[in-house]
Amino acid sequence: MTASVVTIVYVNDAPAAARFYGDLLGISPSFETPGYIAFGLGPGADLALWADQFESLTPDVPRTSEVCLAIDGGPEELDAVFQQWRSKGVTILHEPHDAGFGRTFLAADPDGNRVRVAPQD
């Protein structure tokens, strides 16, 4: 069976969220409608932003999952990404620290969804 994995992130405003993620990831959407925008991340993987599924998502709603951006490079590369995101005004929930899988930090998108940066396995 051929399949791809689509990670769906619920947002209030799909175009605004797409600008946020597009800027952070340095890519453009591969599919766009007014309420659903997807980014091709590589063979078999997409990130989709879907609006109008919930009324007024707020950052204080508990989140039970996160988007993880797994990057190449060592701790210095991760720290550089952290500094870049911080300079863009991205909300940082947990500054860089060492975890069982390596150095990581946790940010939030404008709707409060969690975005982790970690080393690629």
Side-chain angles (χ1 to χ4, degrees), residues 70-74 77-78 118-120:
I71 62 169
D72 288 329
E77 179 67 21
L78 185 130
Q120 192 165 19

Side-chain angles (χ1 to χ4, degrees), residues 78-79 82 92 94-98 103-106:
L78 185 130
D79 289 341
F82 169 75
I92 303 298
H94 199 179
E95 293 198 3
H97 62 283
D98 294 323
R103 194 150 178 85
T104 185
F105 73 89
L106 185 63

Side-chain angles (χ1 to χ4, degrees), residues 48-81:
L49 310 168
W50 196 2
D52 302 325
Q53 298 306 299
F54 297 95
E55 273 191 39
S56 300
L57 286 172
T58 60
D60 61 331
V61 173
R63 300 303 202 268
T64 59
S65 64
E66 55 193 38
V67 173
C68 182
L69 176 61
I71 62 169
D72 288 329
E76 300 80 18
E77 179 67 21
L78 185 130
D79 289 341
V81 171

Side-chain angles (χ1 to χ4, degrees), residues 28-44:
S28 297
S30 57
F31 179 84
E32 292 186 65
T33 68
Y36 183 91
I37 300 174
F39 293 88
L41 301 177

